[in-house]
Amino acid sequence: GIDPFITNKQIVFMGDGTFFHSGAIAISNAIKASQDLTFIILENKTTAMTGHQDHAGQEEDAFGNHHYIQDIEQIVRGMAGTSPVTIVKLSPADRSTYRRILEKTILSDGVKIIIADKECGITYNRSVLKQERKTIKEKGYLPKKTHMNVTPEVCEHCLECTKQTACPGLTTVDTDYGRKIDTDLTWCVNDGACERVRVTNEAAVDVKPCPSFEQVTIVRKKRRRYLLPHMALDKLPEPTRVHAMDKPGEAWRVHMAGVGGMGIGVVGAILVRAGHKQGYRVVFADKKGLAIRNGGVYSQITFVNEESRSTGAPPVSDSENEHGRGARATSYPTTGHIPYGRADLLLAVDVLEGTRAIDPREQFRVASKERTCSVVNLHKQPTVYTLLGKSDFDPEKLKDEIFAHSREEYSYAKNLSKLCEERLGSKQYVNIMIMGVAYQLGLIPVSAHSIAWAIKDTIRRDHRKNLKAFNIGRKLALEPRALPNRPAAVTWEQLVTSKTRILRKSKLLGRAWAARYEQLVHGAIKHMKNLPEELKYDLALRIYDLMQYQDHKLARRYVKLVQHVYHRDFAGRGFAATAAVIWNLAKVTLIKDEPYVAYLLTRYEKKVRDIAKYGVDESNGDRIVYRHHTNPEFNIGPWRLRFRISTTDWQLRLVSKMKWWRRLPGWHRREVAFRDWYEGLLDRVRLESDESYAQALEVLRCPEQVSGYREIRYPKQEKARAYVESLLGGGGEPTPAVKETTGGGGRGSILDAIATPTRV
């Protein structure tokens, strides 16, 4: 309707379900009116947005009945008739071809129709999982499974992958090197969309910005061994119920909160069945969400004790009463929606969605301090804005907020998703495990027998593993350390011990390397003994990295530069300047060139982490096969040679030994120049007064905003350098180019100065 009044190019998206429902009429009218519109029809063979209903373009309906197919391409060609309509059908999986055709088609005049022909990711992966289950049933194990993986040490947290895909299969992890991106095994569908991201800017055209993505294939030869410790799950005691539900008319209400894909509907169905089994009248209300985009989901269930239950007799229907076969049961009025502050139990499978239940600004607030018991899963499921770096949240703070509005003595919080993934192989069991925790705490007024029956009746395909997850949750409520976390280095002494062992194992002259490392770390900390413990840990880690990057000479030089700042720093200011140098001097020195990235992708620590992440049991014949998606580049005079190849471990191990490449003229010259410039800043900053100290911190932290590889990094380096030079050079007024991005402020944030959007 707006087409006659504007000259802009217009694009209309519609699914194939929408096309058959109403879109065909819109296309017909647009052709008749000779409008300038581009219709992009997403033909994914299902009605994906509203629940995967069948439509006229499918050969089989929901009941398995076969019928004739109506082909969208033939329909729109028939609609075109004698008009010069452009009709193109192709798969968007070929990103470069798809983009080129999109641009050409959209910019042409008249009605254009692009049919993006690619099966829905959910239905495709359902068929893949169905085939995998069939294989497991036949052989007892899955011989081969390929995953997309991100190596956090290689990741620069530039967020190009999340900006272009916003994929919920990507997640954030906190590491010793800061926030990084990783793949979530439960959510990732392994389609490789994140790896195929390309970037175009003033530094290059159509380049792959990141070598941290790889394909990890797990090969097994035997059935997986049971690795859980003996937990005596058959001897769990019955809990004392907090809500007895022994009075006629008494009601118990539960609010379950999560996001699509966490199984809120499944656990809701289990509790509804269990409530009926127990003899309650059950009313409930569900709110569904977008499963593939982390949409909010909740389920509210109410159990009501009818009056006849107090006599021990089952409820009697009106028809039975008319024939004289029993007394009529009194029906107490209630609703499926929980009134304000009347929830007896809050099951927060997602902590962020659970917090909405206590926020009066939201459309509902069901929890109250006088009534509600809370069981919270502390796993951090990032939102789209978190993945894009635009917002963040702390699960611990949200837990404290929930507990402040709950009966804290009957509340519980733990990262159950992490336990499920480590011990049961998937986060998908967290909904059942959290229900087991709540049951054992006495917060669900039904018997274990009723819940077990409901699990079997609801989850027919994999009920045994779900029953185990339920009982593990009960065990964790009784003994929180029943499944302890794997030990990890938490002090700098423990870190040095761990890294020393790795050097002895992995190096040719391992004992000499280990001795030098210990000597360097202990000597550095002896001269900087007033450093906080966490900074000693950071320093010891980066000394190790620098030795692996080059040798002990480079690490010793780094230590001397850090000491130079430390002796001018102040304990009263928490050695903030020294902390900035420990982090950022190592960051600019550890240039992620081809040998170093090859080392990071194959190093011992990564292999150990991947073995734990993917449940690999090497003593049982399991092994990992890697295909790394790297784009090495070599500068030979004025020419830049870049190779788009997939490499294996042996190739990268060979490259990691070629440190002599760093002596080639012009090798990563921009990164080397930025490193040398940053080292010069250590003598230029002043730490005496409060004002100069604040300015020094801003200067010394400037590399924190310089992230990404080559084409992503170079513009950020230039802007950071220009901003710092203007800050140090004369009163803090930025240069015109930088002033434009900072809004003209004299001492604006470096983030405002350099974090400008990349043209993609």
Side-chain angles (χ1 to χ4, degrees):
I2 200 173
D3 177 70
F5 307 101
I6 62 174
T7 58
N8 294 23
K9 293 294 182 181
Q10 298 163 72
I11 304 173
V12 180
F13 287 94
M14 68 173 71
D16 42 3
T18 303
F19 172 84
F20 286 110
H21 180 263
S22 57
I25 300 173
I27 294 174
S28 175
N29 288 332
I31 294 172
K32 177 182 179 297
S34 299
Q35 292 181 305
D36 187 12
L37 294 175
T38 301
F39 291 92
I40 300 179
I41 302 173
L42 309 175
E43 187 176 9
N44 55 9
K45 308 301 182 187
T46 186
T47 312
M49 182 176 287
T50 55
H52 298 93
Q53 297 89 349
D54 56 84
H55 58 62
Q58 293 176 255
E59 186 177 7
E60 190 175 281
D61 62 19
F63 300 100
N65 301 316
H66 289 266
H67 53 76
Y68 299 110
I69 296 176
Q70 298 177 34
D71 185 77
I72 293 178
E73 184 178 9
Q74 292 183 17
I75 293 172
V76 295
R77 290 194 184 280
M79 285 182 182
T82 59
S83 62
V85 176
T86 300
I87 300 173
V88 181
K89 182 174 183 177
L90 76 164
S91 171
D94 184 354
R95 294 171 68 94
S96 58
T97 303
Y98 186 65
R99 174 179 174 173
R100 176 170 48 81
I101 292 178
L102 273 180
E103 290 179 347
K104 180 180 178 181
T105 306
I106 292 170
L107 293 176
S108 60
D109 296 328
V111 174
K112 293 86 60 178
I113 301 171
I114 298 175
I115 304 172
D117 182 17
K118 187 173 185 292
E119 184 181 357
C120 171
I122 293 178
T123 58
Y124 170 77
N125 281 281
R126 282 177 180 169
S127 62
V128 171
L129 291 174
K130 183 178 180 180
Q131 185 59 43
E132 288 180 355
R133 287 192 296 268
K134 182 179 179 181
T135 303
I136 293 173
K137 187 175 181 180
E138 293 173 354
K139 297 187 175 183
Y141 64 96
L142 192 63
K144 185 180 291 187
K145 174 74 173 179
T146 299
H147 307 267
M148 284 302 301
N149 189 51
V150 178
T151 304
E153 296 95 328
V154 181
C155 171
E156 280 281 293
H157 201 244
C158 64
L159 300 181
E160 290 298 326
C161 55
T162 60
K163 289 174 186 175
Q164 295 193 42
T165 65
C167 178
L170 296 173
T171 187
T172 57
V173 292
D174 292 317
T175 71
D176 291 334
Y177 306 95
R179 183 71 55 82
K180 302 291 184 179
I181 296 295
D182 198 3
T183 49
D184 189 322
L185 294 183
T186 302
W187 293 78
C188 179
V189 296
N190 304 308
D191 62 355
C194 49
E195 186 275 327
R196 292 193 296 271
V197 164
R198 294 290 185 272
V199 170
T200 296
N201 58 22
E202 59 271 20
V205 177
D206 191 32
V207 295
K208 179 179 178 295
C210 183
S212 64
F213 290 94
E214 61 189 3
Q215 285 179 300
V216 175
T217 301
I218 311 302
V219 180
R220 306 186 193 276
K221 296 182 179 180
K222 301 178 184 177
R223 184 192 298 267
R224 295 182 66 178
R225 294 189 294 188
Y226 184 76
L227 299 177
L228 283 172
H230 180 66
M231 302 176 69
L233 298 179
D234 56 337
K235 299 179 181 179
L236 297 171
E238 284 297 316
T240 301
R241 293 182 185 174
V242 176
H243 306 91
M245 289 286 287
D246 53 0
K247 296 179 181 179
E250 190 171 359
W252 173 85
R253 302 176 177 90
V254 57
H255 176 87
M256 295 172 289
V259 297
M262 284 186 169
I264 299 298
V266 172
V267 77
I270 291 171
L271 287 179
V272 167
R273 285 176 166 88
H276 280 299
K277 182 80 170 175
Q278 199 75 15
Y280 299 125
R281 181 163 66 91
V282 182
V283 289
F284 60 93
D286 292 332
K287 184 257 184 182
K288 302 296 184 183
L290 297 175
I292 200 169
R293 289 297 174 197
N294 291 2
V297 179
Y298 69 78
S299 182
Q300 297 184 349
I301 301 174
T302 301
F303 293 167
V304 182
N305 181 4
E306 304 285 29
E307 184 177 9
S308 62
R309 185 175 177 272
S310 63
T311 65
V316 183
S317 67
D318 293 345
S319 61
E320 288 176 327
N321 184 48
E322 291 172 2
H323 293 283
R325 288 201 293 264
R328 180 174 179 177
T330 301
S331 180
Y332 294 91
T334 188
T335 175
H337 289 282
I338 299 176
Y340 186 92
R342 299 289 289 174
D344 296 289
L345 173 62
L346 169 61
L347 276 183
V349 186
D350 179 79
V351 62
L352 187 59
E353 292 298 324
T355 310
R356 301 187 197 279
I358 57 102
D359 189 348
R361 296 170 298 179
E362 295 291 338
Q363 57 185 326
F364 54 79
R365 175 178 173 174
V366 298
S368 63
K369 189 171 182 61
E370 297 75 24
R371 186 182 185 101
T372 307
C373 309
S374 298
V375 181
V376 181
N377 175 27
L378 290 181
H379 171 67
K380 184 176 182 178
Q381 181 68 38
T383 65
V384 170
Y385 282 113
T386 304
L387 288 174
L388 296 178
K390 295 183 178 181
S391 67
D392 201 6
F393 62 94
D394 183 357
E396 286 291 339
K397 290 183 179 179
L398 294 182
K399 182 261 293 183
D400 294 339
E401 187 71 19
I402 292 174
F403 279 17
H405 294 80
S406 307
R407 299 173 65 184
E408 192 165 351
E409 68 274 17
Y410 293 114
S411 296
Y412 178 97
K414 193 179 182 71
N415 190 341
L416 297 174
S417 291
K418 183 179 179 181
L419 275 174
C420 285
E421 189 166 69
E422 290 179 351
R423 303 292 186 165
L424 297 176
S426 173
K427 294 188 183 80
Q428 289 181 336
Y429 299 101
V430 68
N431 57 338
I432 308 296
M433 187 178 287
I434 199 171
M435 182 174 61
V437 171
Y439 174 80
Q440 195 61 41
L441 293 174
L443 307 180
I444 302 178
V446 295
S447 67
H449 173 74
S450 296
I451 291 182
W453 172 84
I455 290 174
K456 292 179 182 178
D457 196 58
T458 306
I459 311 172
R460 299 177 184 272
R461 187 180 61 236
D462 200 15
H463 70 272
R464 292 183 182 275
K465 206 164 188 178
N466 282 278
L467 279 171
K468 184 179 291 183
F470 174 72
N471 287 323
I472 290 174
R474 294 180 62 188
K475 186 72 173 182
L476 289 172
L478 294 170
E479 302 176 24
R481 293 191 57 82
L483 289 175
N485 294 325
R486 292 180 172 87
V490 293
T491 67
W492 71 268
E493 293 96 339
Q494 293 172 340
L495 177 72
V496 170
T497 301
S498 174
K499 297 300 186 184
T500 299
R501 290 173 179 169
I502 294 172
L503 286 171
R504 287 174 179 168
K505 287 181 182 179
S506 60
K507 291 292 184 180
L508 182 61
L509 301 175
R511 290 188 176 276
W513 279 76
R516 284 171 178 164
Y517 172 63
E518 286 185 300
Q519 182 183 8
L520 268 173
V521 174
H522 287 287
I525 292 178
K526 180 180 179 181
H527 287 87
M528 295 183 282
K529 58 184 177 181
N530 292 326
L531 280 179
E533 290 300 309
E534 62 271 15
L535 288 183
K536 293 178 182 177
Y537 182 98
D538 293 336
L539 180 64
L541 179 63
R542 282 152 183 82
I543 291 173
Y544 172 83
D545 291 337
L546 287 158
M547 287 186 64
Q548 293 280 25
Y549 180 82
Q550 190 66 41
D551 52 28
H552 65 283
K553 295 178 183 178
L554 182 64
R556 183 175 289 110
R557 185 173 184 275
Y558 166 79
V559 170
K560 288 181 179 179
L561 291 172
V562 172
Q563 288 176 350
H564 175 64
V565 176
Y566 169 81
H567 291 306
R568 298 156 53 203
D569 207 351
F570 302 94
R573 294 190 173 108
F575 293 103
T578 307
V581 174
I582 288 174
W583 276 69
N584 293 296
L585 180 58
K587 178 181 173 70
V588 299
T589 305
L590 295 166
I591 297 170
K592 289 183 177 175
D593 56 9
E594 283 70 18
Y596 190 52
V597 168
Y599 156 74
L600 292 175
L601 288 170
T602 56
R603 72 177 188 161
Y604 175 84
E605 295 92 328
K606 176 185 182 297
K607 182 72 175 291
V608 171
R609 184 180 62 248
D610 289 345
I611 286 173
K613 179 178 180 179
Y614 295 102
V616 174
D617 185 358
E618 291 183 318
S619 62
N620 197 43
D622 301 350
R623 61 189 179 94
I624 304 179
V625 178
Y626 292 98
R627 296 292 292 180
H628 310 281
H629 299 290
T630 55
N631 278 22
E633 180 178 302
F634 299 92
N635 299 325
I636 303 176
W639 297 284
R640 297 173 60 191
L641 302 179
R642 171 166 286 187
F643 302 93
R644 294 186 180 182
I645 57 175
S646 293
T647 53
T648 57
D649 268 15
W650 73 266
Q651 293 170 314
L652 292 185
R653 289 194 184 97
L654 185 63
V655 172
S656 67
K657 307 298 181 184
M658 297 182 179
K659 299 178 182 179
W660 55 268
W661 282 351
R662 294 174 184 146
R663 296 194 294 270
L664 295 175
W667 181 262
H668 286 262
R669 59 181 180 82
R670 294 194 185 188
E671 290 90 340
V672 170
F674 188 77
R675 177 200 66 194
D676 296 342
W677 169 79
Y678 183 80
E679 288 182 3
L681 293 177
L682 305 185
D683 288 323
R684 296 172 62 187
V685 296
R686 297 290 176 263
L687 306 177
E688 293 79 12
S689 66
D690 289 344
E691 184 177 356
S692 63
Y693 196 90
Q695 186 186 73
L697 286 182
E698 193 168 4
V699 169
L700 295 174
R701 290 170 178 167
C702 70
E704 293 175 8
Q705 309 302 332
V706 179
S707 59
Y709 286 82
R710 296 189 187 273
E711 293 77 19
I712 306 299
R713 171 184 294 270
Y714 294 157
K716 296 178 182 179
Q717 284 182 175
E718 294 169 3
K719 291 178 181 179
R721 187 166 181 171
Y723 179 79
V724 170
E725 287 298 336
S726 66
L727 200 62
L728 294 175
E733 186 67 20
T735 60
V738 179
K739 183 175 180 178
E740 185 177 278
T741 61
T742 60
R747 287 204 32 218
S749 167
I750 289 183
L751 178 62
D752 296 333
I754 68 177
T756 55
T758 303
R759 187 170 75 253
V760 177

